[in-house]
Amino acid sequence: MRYLSFSYEGRVSYGCIVDQAVCDLGRRTGLPDLASHIADRFPTLGWEADLAPDYSLSAIRYLPVIPDPRKVLCVATNYREPGDDGAARPEYPLVFSRFGISQTGHEEPLPKPEVSEKFDYEGELAVIIGKTGRRIAEAEAMTYVAGYSCFNDGSVRDWQKHSSQFTPGKNFARTAGFGPWMVTSDELPDPGALDLVTRVNGETRQRNNTSRMIFPIAWLISYFSQFTVLEPGDVIVTGTPSGFGSSRQPPEFLKIGDTVEIEIERVGTLRNVVADESQNQDNFR
C-alpha cells in the first residue's frame, strides 16, 4: 500500500492511494499525522479496511511523506561503482542529519538558494521507521521498517564544504524532495535489489542498484540505533551513487527551471522543478 501526506484546499492530512485517488485517513482516524498513524497501526500497516477514494491525485498538494520527522539521518555516497567491487569497505559510513524544514514534497518547487551557484542533486532511497527501537540487532533490523520512499538529498555544495561538517549545505529550506509516497515494507520484501535512476531534464545522471550499497539497510538501522532511539516516522536516507553534479567532469549544477526526477523501482518517481528562491518565499513558512 502507498501512504502519503498532503494538503487539500488548505487542510493538511494524510492518507493512502485507492483506485488512483486519495483516501483521507486523517479524517477517518483522528490521528494527527502519518507518523502517528504508523506508530498506532504498525502491526497491520498496509492492511487498511473500508477504504474509499476522497480526492483525485491532481486535486491535492503533496507534502513530504513525513512532514516533520523527529530525525532525518543521512549517509554520504554509499554505493559501489563499476570496477570497485574489490575495494575494502570503510569501517563506518559518513553520517549527517537534516532538519524537517529542509524537505519538500513531490511536484513542489526546489528553491535554488540565492547565496550559491552550486545547488546539487542526489537520488536516494529513504527508509521510514515503523516502531521504536534501541540497539537493534542487524538480524532484526528489517522488522522495524514501515516502508520506503524516494529522496533527493539536495545539497548546496559550497556551503557544505565550508568545513568538514555537512550541516549548512544540507539544510537550506525546502531543498530536499521527499516522496511522492511511502510504499509499505510488505510490498518490498527485498529492498536490496532495486534500480535507482536520477534524471535532470530527462537526461540520466545517476544509475545504480541498491544491491550495491556499501552499508546495507539493515546494517544502517542497527548502527543508528546504537547511538539514538529510532522512533516511528524517523527517516534514514541511505546514500547516493556517483553521477551527482559535483562528481561530473566538468561539474554540472542545477539551474532555475531544471526538472529533477528520482525513480526507484517498485517505489515510484519523485519530481521537482528548480525554482527562484526569491519567488518562492511561501515555501519558508
Side-chain angles (χ1 to χ4, degrees):
M1 181 166 281
R2 293 173 290 170
Y3 291 83
L4 72 165
S5 298
F6 65 91
S7 66
Y8 176 75
E9 296 184 345
R11 182 180 62 85
V12 171
S13 190
Y14 68 93
C16 58
I17 307 297
V18 178
D19 298 330
Q20 299 304 307
V22 179
C23 173
D24 189 340
L25 292 174
R27 192 178 67 180
R28 288 166 169 77
T29 67
L31 293 168
D33 52 35
L34 182 52
S36 301
H37 187 87
I38 290 170
D40 187 68
R41 309 291 174 90
F42 182 63
T44 59
L45 199 66
W47 299 93
E48 307 289 344
D50 302 320
L51 299 178
D54 293 305
Y55 325 118
S56 69
L57 287 171
S58 62
I60 66 163
R61 181 175 180 178
Y62 289 87
L63 300 178
V65 176
I66 307 294
D68 191 21
R70 290 191 177 186
K71 293 181 279 298
V72 183
L73 302 166
C74 306
V75 181
T77 57
N78 198 32
Y79 280 80
R80 296 193 184 281
E81 303 300 334
D84 65 1
D85 293 277
R89 188 181 85 168
E91 188 173 4
Y92 300 108
L94 196 163
V95 172
F96 58 95
S97 59
R98 299 192 73 116
F99 311 139
I101 194 66
S102 72
Q103 303 177 141
T104 195
H106 172 62
E107 298 286 12
E108 291 293 301
L110 285 179
K112 177 185 172 297
E114 293 182 291
V115 296
S116 174
E117 293 302 321
K118 295 184 178 181
F119 187 28
D120 210 345
Y121 54 88
E122 295 185 18
E124 313 201 16
L125 177 70
V127 178
I128 296 98
I129 298 298
K131 62 180 179 178
T132 300
R134 173 73 162 143
R135 300 202 172 109
I136 300 166
E138 188 173 350
E140 301 296 322
M142 301 308 288
T143 67
Y144 285 78
V145 176
Y148 306 93
S149 189
C150 305
F151 203 95
N152 178 6
D153 184 27
S155 304
V156 184
R157 295 297 186 199
D158 39 4
W159 283 72
Q160 179 184 337
K161 302 297 184 180
H162 281 177
S163 73
S164 61
Q165 305 301 307
F166 284 9
T167 302
K170 296 290 188 174
N171 282 288
F172 278 74
R174 310 299 191 218
T175 52
F178 183 16
W181 42 62
M182 177 186 80
V183 175
T184 49
S185 59
D186 62 295
E187 295 203 11
L188 283 176
D190 184 12
L194 305 174
D195 286 334
L196 182 156
V197 178
T198 302
R199 294 183 292 270
V200 177
N201 300 327
E203 176 192 359
T204 297
R205 297 285 186 86
Q206 296 180 286
R207 182 184 293 274
N208 213 315
N209 188 281
T210 56
S211 64
R212 296 181 62 79
M213 283 185 181
I214 297 169
F215 298 96
I217 294 167
W219 190 97
L220 292 172
I221 292 171
S222 177
Y223 178 72
F224 284 126
S225 76
Q226 305 305 310
F227 69 83
T228 188
V229 177
L230 294 179
E231 301 168 281
D234 284 352
V235 182
I236 295 176
V237 185
T238 56
T240 197
S242 67
F244 47 87
S246 62
S247 72
R248 300 175 72 83
Q249 297 298 325
E252 296 182 74
F253 295 109
L254 295 172
K255 305 179 298 298
I256 292 170
D258 284 349
T259 298
V260 184
E261 295 174 300
I262 314 297
E263 181 176 0
I264 301 178
E265 181 183 7
R266 300 180 63 192
V267 177
T269 301
L270 167 68
R271 184 182 302 104
N272 301 96
V273 175
V274 180
D276 187 336
E277 182 184 59
S278 66
Q279 297 179 15
N280 284 270
Q281 295 302 315
D282 63 321
N283 281 306
F284 310 123
R285 290 178 299 178

